Structures are given as structure tokens and as C-alpha cells.
Amino acid sequence: MDFTVRKLTPNVGAEISGLDLRQPLDPATMAEVRKVWLDNVVVVIPEQPIDDEQQIAFSRQVGALELINMSALQMPGRPEIYGATNLDENDELMPPDHPVMQVNHDNRKWHSDSSFKHVPAMASLLHARIVPPVGGDTAYANMAAAYEALADDMKAKLEGLVAVHNFYWSRRNVKVTAFTQAETSALPPTRHPVVRRHPETGRRALYVGSHTESIEGMEWDEGRALIDGLIEHATQPEFVYQHAWRVGDLVWWDNRAALHCGMPFDITRHKRRLHRTTVAGTGPTL
Ligand code: OGA
Ligand code: MN
């Protein structure tokens, strides 16, 4: 299948047009598309009128799927689909203090999906079904480009460092718990290198985000300053693409090489519903 590629910024993001994801891609096309994705970290595939089954089928061409770990965050009856939404199952607005709204709100902090898991996610694919008239963009930062731009002494300092990631750290301000006891104990803190070598491209990338709680062997304050400083460095405009959603957009990103965050919109007035599939990683990072 013929498709065209247009870069969205110099450092991150490309748009692919000419694909129809309602049908499986043939293996040769899929291999070419995957190369574009690896090179650009984030790809936008607009104008895709796909349903959940078709999104799941395309996502499985990328790799095996993760099931969404918390039932409150799944689309009803669909453990493969995470709902990035402010709507309930009747597409009515949820109140901002609803537990699910509180958990989803923290997607506004820069993060890599499932970095709190022992085997963290490879990829995520977010498909826009309902978008607000203003706001609600999603921003993406290229963590490989950010790593490469660090000074040599900082690269040397990061060599071999290990960080602790913890879902309940990024969700520490969630007041009403949306999780069962079993879900909480199923997600203990886990360890990942601060600099990750990409298993497919070999490129090195920073791997810290909002789930990163501390750095092993460092005082708490020193670790926090390092984590926050690296996130601030990596999310400077030169490493970032900000996506303004149109219904039908599919955005597919590489969690091994990108941070992302949701941007504000008026959650009390405007509806937003995006469906996410998550492709599992292939093994532990250490
Ligand atoms: C996600 C996520 C951000 C957004 O779905 O993983 O972080 O803009 N979403 O909804
Ligand atoms: Mn996310």
C-alpha cells in the first residue's frame, strides 16, 4: 500500500497519510510503517473511521496487547481499551471529583505509559472519538533527542543509575481511591535504568517521568531534583510535538523513547473521549 510521510517537527513526530486501518496492513507495508514510527517516535495517522475491534487488530500488528490493569479505567467490557475520557458509559460528563476523573487528571503530568510495571509498555495508540472544541491536546517529547542533547558530564553522571517507578507516586494526590486492594498490591514499585537503550533502534533515551519516584543510592532530595531537572530538560519546545486532536486521528507513540502528557480543557463543559490500546513490552529493562 502506498503512503506518504510528512515530518511534524524537526525532532519528533510524523504524519502518515494514505493508510486505511480498517483492514490489516500487508507485512511489507507494516514493516515500512514501523520504520517510520521508530525513526520519528510518534506518528499521526489521521482520518481513520475505525472501531474498537479494528483498533485492537492494528495494535496487535505492532505487538501483543497489555490489558488495562484497573477495571475502573477500562472501557466497559473491553479490558484492552483504556478510556482517556471525562465521560461515563452514557457519554455524560463525570463530576471532576469522580475517582476516575482524579486518576485520569494525572495524565497531565509527563509520563511513559506503564513505566510502573516490571515489563513496561512498548507502545500506545490513542484514537479520537469525541474531541473538545478547544484544548485537550496531547504533547509528546522525544527522550532520545533529549538524551543526546545532554552535556557529556551529565551523561556520565547518569550512566548506570537506576530509578524506582511507582504508580501510587504519580497518583499520590488522588483523594478517593479508585482502586481495589488487589489492584494496589498487584502494582508494587519497580526498577528501571534512568537511561534506556532502545531494543530495536539501539538509540539511548532518558527514561524518567511522573511515575518515577526516586533514584537508587541517592538522597531523596537529590534524586527528586535530578528527576525533575531531567523532565524539565526533555520537555523543552525543541523536543516536543503537541497534537491538536481531530475526530478519527490515531496517534501511535513509542513509550521507550517518548514522554507524553494531556493538556487542559474545560472538563466541566466539554466532552472528550479517546480510546487507547497499549502494546506490551518484550522484557524487563534491567
Ligand atoms: C493516555 C494519556 C493523555 C490525554 O491515554 O495514556 O496519557 O491527552 N492520555 O488524554
Ligand atoms: Mn498516558
Side-chain angles (χ1 to χ4, degrees):
M1 193 184 282
D2 274 346
F3 62 86
T4 55
V5 178
R6 177 174 70 89
K7 275 199 169 281
L8 295 167
T9 77
N11 271 323
V12 55
E15 184 180 273
I16 301 184
S17 34
L19 294 178
D20 179 357
L21 301 183
R22 289 173 300 183
Q23 307 293 333
L25 297 187
D26 64 81
T29 304
M30 188 62 205
E32 284 175 51
V33 168
R34 189 176 184 102
K35 169 103 174 52
V36 173
W37 172 64
L38 290 171
D39 288 347
N40 293 282
V41 177
V42 179
V43 298
V44 176
I45 309 177
E47 293 179 66
Q48 299 300 317
I50 52 172
D51 60 19
D52 286 339
E53 290 310 324
Q54 290 160 330
Q55 179 172 350
I56 289 170
F58 176 66
S59 304
R60 287 201 171 122
Q61 290 199 271
V62 179
L65 297 192
E66 276 188 12
L67 297 186
I68 306 310
N69 39 293
M70 283 153 184
S71 57
L73 306 179
Q74 296 170 5
M75 295 306 289
R78 295 253 181 211
E80 301 90 350
I81 306 259
Y82 164 74
T85 187
N86 61 332
L87 307 178
D88 65 18
E89 61 275 17
N90 300 314
D91 274 349
E92 301 296 338
L93 294 169
M94 284 188 278
D97 62 351
H98 190 287
V100 171
M101 292 287 277
Q102 291 189 45
V103 175
N104 286 349
H105 188 82
D106 285 322
N107 281 338
R108 293 188 185 176
K109 302 173 190 168
W110 288 99
H111 64 282
S112 176
D113 288 334
S114 298
S115 83
F116 47 82
K117 292 186 179 173
H118 178 59
V119 176
M122 171 199 294
S124 296
L125 301 95
L126 202 49
H127 185 243
R129 307 294 178 89
I130 299 173
V131 303
V134 284
D137 292 2
T138 306
Y140 297 91
N142 183 339
M143 301 302 276
Y147 173 76
E148 287 155 11
L150 290 173
D152 285 343
D153 60 338
M154 181 54 106
K155 287 183 181 159
K157 174 177 169 170
L158 300 181
E159 196 63 43
L161 286 185
V162 171
V164 176
H165 292 233
N166 178 4
F167 183 72
Y168 298 98
W169 167 255
S170 69
R171 280 359 185 218
R172 63 195 176 279
N173 294 324
V174 174
K175 289 184 189 64
V176 191
T177 182
F179 321 118
T180 65
Q181 188 60 50
E183 288 169 342
T184 311
S185 32
L187 285 179
T190 191
R191 307 165 69 239
H192 299 299
V194 169
V195 178
R196 245 185 115 171
R197 189 178 171 282
H198 195 289
E200 291 182 77
T201 65
R203 211 174 165 192
R204 287 151 69 84
L206 289 170
Y207 195 61
V208 289
S210 67
H211 304 307
T212 315
E213 182 167 16
S214 59
I215 308 283
E216 277 186 4
M218 248 184 218
E219 291 299 325
W220 173 265
D221 289 351
E222 191 191 354
R224 283 309 322 162
L226 181 61
I227 295 162
D228 293 338
L230 290 173
I231 296 171
E232 200 176 304
H233 161 76
T235 56
Q236 296 176 90
E238 65 196 284
F239 306 122
V240 170
Y241 166 65
Q242 183 174 325
H243 186 67
W245 292 97
R246 294 147 299 184
V247 170
D249 286 347
L250 183 78
V251 178
W252 167 27
W253 67 91
D254 188 337
N255 283 305
R256 303 164 296 186
L259 289 183
H260 64 281
C261 70
M263 312 275 295
F265 68 103
D266 189 346
I267 55 171
T268 63
R269 286 179 54 203
H270 295 140
K271 296 186 174 187
R272 182 177 189 268
R273 178 157 59 79
L274 287 77
H275 291 204
R276 191 188 87 200
T277 39
T278 315
V279 178
T282 50
T285 58
L286 283 167

